[in-house]
């Protein structure tokens, strides 16, 4: 917020005073913001932990607060959300070949901040459960 106030040409002393007062009365709470941001973006946008951490840091949340908020998303929850994303996308890809499906699904998960290993594992499992071939992914094990 401090940087935003400076961009609006607010004097640094005034910005510090205003932000200090807002903090004093409890209107600025990075921890609460980070927790809400993580919960919302993971649930509704399907963002992975890596992307959530980057987004929080971009918004000025310090590393420790960001790490604590992101830790609320455990590995199982992250994997389940990745599976949901793949399941939602698969039916629209019926006519695509195996390589295209894999590339698009893994790319989607990567853009949402899921690790490469998790993305490949989830895509392989979901393709198999969808009755699709996974021989291209079998060579990656």
């Amino acid at each position: 917020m401090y940087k935003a106030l400076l961009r609006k040409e607010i004097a640094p002393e005034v910005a510090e005073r205003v932000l200090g007062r807002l903090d004093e009365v409890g209107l600025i709470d990075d921890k609460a913001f980070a927790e809400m941001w993580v919960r919302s973006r993971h649930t509704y946008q399907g963002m992975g932990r890596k992307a959530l951490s980057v987004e929080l840091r971009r918004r000025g949340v310090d590393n420790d607060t960001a790490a604590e908020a992101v830790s609320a998303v455990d590995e199982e929850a992250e994997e389940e959300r990745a599976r949901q994303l793949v399941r939602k996308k698969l039916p629209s890809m019926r006519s695509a070949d195996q390589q295209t499906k894999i590339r698009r699904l893994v790319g989607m998960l990567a853009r949402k901040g899921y690790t490469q290993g998790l993305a490949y594992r989830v895509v392989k499992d979901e393709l198999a459960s969808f009755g699709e071939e996974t021989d291209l992914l079998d060579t990656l094990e």
Side-chain angles (χ1 to χ4, degrees):
M1 289 180 75
Y2 181 75
K3 289 178 185 175
L5 290 173
L6 293 180
R7 280 194 305 269
K8 300 275 186 190
E9 298 181 7
I10 304 294
E13 309 81 45
V14 174
E16 286 178 26
R17 235 184 357 241
V18 168
L19 292 175
R21 179 67 181 136
L22 290 173
D23 190 33
E24 236 175 70
V25 296
L27 294 176
I28 298 177
D29 187 350
D30 282 351
K31 184 177 178 184
F33 167 76
E35 290 169 356
M36 179 275 313
W37 184 266
V38 165
R39 189 171 41 254
S40 174
R41 299 285 285 168
H42 177 69
T43 302
Y44 300 110
Q45 300 297 316
M47 304 301 286
R49 292 183 295 182
K50 187 167 90 177
L52 291 168
S53 183
V54 169
E55 284 185 348
L56 286 172
R57 280 191 244 111
R58 250 190 230 139
R59 282 165 177 67
V61 176
D62 67 81
N63 289 338
D64 292 339
T65 304
E68 185 179 335
V70 170
S71 71
V73 178
D74 62 14
E75 290 180 25
E76 293 81 26
E78 184 178 43
E79 182 173 332
E80 181 53 35
R81 190 64 178 107
R83 289 181 185 286
Q84 291 169 356
L85 291 167
V86 170
R87 286 181 203 131
K88 182 178 179 183
K89 185 83 173 161
L90 264 174
S92 68
M93 301 176 73
R94 287 195 186 276
S95 62
D97 63 74
Q98 180 185 8
Q99 185 175 4
T100 302
K101 286 178 188 176
I102 292 168
R103 187 184 75 247
R104 288 180 183 170
L105 292 169
V106 169
M108 171 194 63
L109 292 176
R111 285 186 300 279
K112 290 192 174 277
Y114 293 91
T115 63
Q116 183 178 0
L118 175 65
Y120 279 111
R121 185 175 70 248
V122 166
V123 168
K124 179 181 178 182
D125 292 349
E126 293 303 319
L127 282 173
S129 69
F130 202 66
E132 299 280 338
E133 292 292 322
T134 62
D135 57 326
L136 285 176
L137 289 171
D138 293 339
T139 60
L140 296 173
E141 290 181 1

